[in-house]
């Protein structure tokens, strides 16, 4: 994807990322997954956003960059979350990648996540391999080393997919785990592919 793809508002970007391939390259390995669930965070007026009220800090600085800057942060002190800045420089919107569908190589994804091969997993483990922001980061070896890098680089990037996601197959719902965000907790800014078994929460 080119730079202009990411220079759009976070809601539009969150929708359009569905079905795209998220590719991770490291140590000679390449992992391919399909994005199936996203959340939009709309910047300084969004009470669920890290930059609400224009809270610009060293931590949130990637969000103020031009669209396509990677923002990785920790939750609960142990789980990484992958975000991509949206819009133009100085407008700190972003998209959280909430879930991906594993494509290949399945054993490498499984080893990263569970320390065993894919055919050794239970059906429950297979369903839960990448269906959450912390889970997918573990499966793709995404951590703070990628923070502030470009999604247009060669370590983590987005590829188009010939598969068209119909508007009727995109479900809008409330974002997850933001009960503190007052009225913003009810905004339908979470998007996922209908009937995809790798979505984190129906």
């Amino acid at each position: 994807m080119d730079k202009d793809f990411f220079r759009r508002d976070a809601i539009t970007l969150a929708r359009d990322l569905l079905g795209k391939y998220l590719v991770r390259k490291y140590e000679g390995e390449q992992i391919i997954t399909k994005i199936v669930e996203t959340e939009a965070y709309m910047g300084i007026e969004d009470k669920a956003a890290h930059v609400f009220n224009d809270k610009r800090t060293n931590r949130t600085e990637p969000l103020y960059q031009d669209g396509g800057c990677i923002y990785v942060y920790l939750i609960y002190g142990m789980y990484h979350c992958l975000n991509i800045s949206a819009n133009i420089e100085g407008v700190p919107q972003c998209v959280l990648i909430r879930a991906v569908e594993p494509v290949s190589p399945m054993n490498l994804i499984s080893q990263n996540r569970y320390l065993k091969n894919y055919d050794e997993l239970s059906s429950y483990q297979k369903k839960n391999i990448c269906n959450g922001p912390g889970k997918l980061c573990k499966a793709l070896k995404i951590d703070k080393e990628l923070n502030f890098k470009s999604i247009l680089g060669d370590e983590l990037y987005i590829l188009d997919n010939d598969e068209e996601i119909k508007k009727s197959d995109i479900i809008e719902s409330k974002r997850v785990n933001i009960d503190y965000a007052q009225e913003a907790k009810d905004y339908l800014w979470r998007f996922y592919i209908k009937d995809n078994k790798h979505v984190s929460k129906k």
Side-chain angles (χ1 to χ4, degrees):
M1 312 306 297
D2 62 20
K3 190 72 170 175
D4 286 340
F5 178 80
F6 300 96
R7 286 175 173 150
R8 299 177 297 159
D9 70 88
I11 292 173
T12 301
L13 182 59
R15 285 175 164 274
D16 287 353
L17 280 170
L18 293 177
K20 299 291 190 289
Y21 289 126
L22 177 66
V23 182
R24 172 72 167 120
K25 282 189 174 181
Y26 68 96
E27 298 177 355
E29 304 283 0
Q30 176 177 278
I31 294 175
I32 301 173
T33 61
K34 183 171 77 172
I35 299 172
V36 299
E37 181 183 354
T38 59
E39 286 181 347
Y41 288 85
M42 291 295 287
I44 62 176
E45 296 180 357
D46 181 358
K47 291 180 180 177
H50 289 179
V51 293
F52 175 58
N53 273 340
D54 205 14
K55 187 177 181 182
R56 188 167 189 167
T57 64
N58 288 337
R59 181 195 188 202
T60 63
E61 190 62 27
L63 301 178
Y64 287 83
Q65 307 308 303
D66 204 7
C69 187
I70 297 169
Y71 173 47
V72 178
Y73 64 86
L74 275 175
I75 54 172
Y76 312 126
M78 58 190 303
Y79 301 114
H80 292 97
C81 293
L82 169 64
N83 300 259
I84 303 169
S85 70
N87 222 307
I88 59 174
E89 185 175 354
V91 181
Q93 299 178 3
C94 73
V95 175
L96 169 68
I97 309 301
R98 270 204 63 85
V100 297
E101 177 181 329
V103 176
S104 70
M106 300 302 286
N107 281 342
L108 180 57
I109 294 170
S110 181
Q111 284 286 344
N112 288 343
R113 178 82 167 87
Y114 294 114
L115 299 178
K116 53 187 177 181
N117 288 335
Y118 188 75
D119 60 4
E120 299 176 275
L121 303 182
S122 66
S123 58
Y124 176 83
Q125 288 174 317
K126 289 178 179 178
K127 180 182 177 182
N128 285 274
I129 195 166
C130 296
N131 67 339
K135 297 172 187 178
L136 75 89
C137 282
K138 186 172 183 180
L140 275 67
K141 284 195 174 292
I142 294 170
D143 58 25
K144 293 292 287 288
E145 291 294 318
L146 290 168
N147 190 51
F148 230 123
K149 294 187 177 181
S150 174
I151 198 68
L152 301 173
D154 57 7
E155 295 179 82
L156 184 69
Y157 53 91
I158 307 291
L159 291 179
D160 207 352
N161 183 358
D162 292 336
E163 175 189 358
E164 181 181 355
I165 305 298
K166 298 178 182 178
K167 187 175 181 179
S168 59
D169 287 333
I170 297 177
I171 305 298
E172 302 177 358
S173 66
K174 297 178 183 180
R175 293 173 292 181
V176 179
N177 294 333
I178 56 164
D179 291 341
Y180 57 85
Q182 298 178 0
E183 73 277 3
K185 68 181 174 58
D186 295 321
Y187 298 162
L188 302 181
W189 289 351
R190 173 177 169 247
F191 307 96
Y192 63 89
I193 299 175
K194 181 180 179 181
D195 297 329
N196 188 283
K197 66 181 182 180
H198 296 282
V199 169
S200 67
K201 182 179 180 181
K202 299 295 173 64

